[in-house]
Amino acid sequence: MELQETTSSPNEFFVTSEPIMQCATNALMLISKLGKIHLKANADLIPNAVSVANIITENFLKNNSKIEKIILDLSLIHISEPTRPRLISYAVFCL
């Protein structure tokens, strides 16, 4: 399951279901290019985003970077039946 969003800025990196180390490497390449990124994930990929953020800050950059903030946004969206809302979570990590 990949997160797709119609509007994004150049410093946004969306965590997908690709292997975590590959995702962390891709995010690191974007950090080296832009200096700062917003790491984003949706629902079941939030644990992957946490892992990517930890790999980048603790392993790749050896604690020379930090996670500035973590934002969790919970919203109700209706899937198929209007009477059965489903809670969807969304996380943003600013590295």
Side-chain angles (χ1 to χ4, degrees):
M1 171 184 194
E2 291 189 18
L3 173 66
Q4 297 295 323
E5 191 172 288
T6 55
T7 59
S8 65
S9 68
N11 67 336
E12 291 178 336
F13 181 86
F14 295 94
V15 174
T16 64
S17 58
E18 68 185 343
I20 291 174
M21 286 304 290
Q22 181 63 48
C23 193
T25 302
N26 293 342
L28 182 63
M29 289 172 35
L30 190 59
I31 290 172
S32 68
K33 180 179 177 183
L34 301 175
K36 180 178 182 177
I37 65 168
H38 297 164
L39 185 63
K40 294 188 174 187
N42 190 2
D44 59 335
L45 295 174
I46 291 173
N48 290 17
V50 172
S51 295
V52 168
N54 285 332
I55 290 167
I56 291 170
T57 57
E58 295 172 10
N59 296 77
F60 289 164
L61 299 177
K62 304 289 184 197
N63 295 318
N64 290 319
S65 65
K66 66 178 183 171
I67 299 172
E68 288 183 7
K69 62 183 170 181
I70 298 173
I71 302 167
L72 292 176
D73 179 20
L74 302 176
S75 59
L76 288 173
I77 58 174
H78 298 280
I79 311 270
S80 60
E81 294 182 44
T83 58
R84 302 185 106 196
R86 181 175 174 190
L87 191 62
I88 302 295
S89 55
Y90 184 77
V92 178
F93 298 83
C94 298
L95 299 176

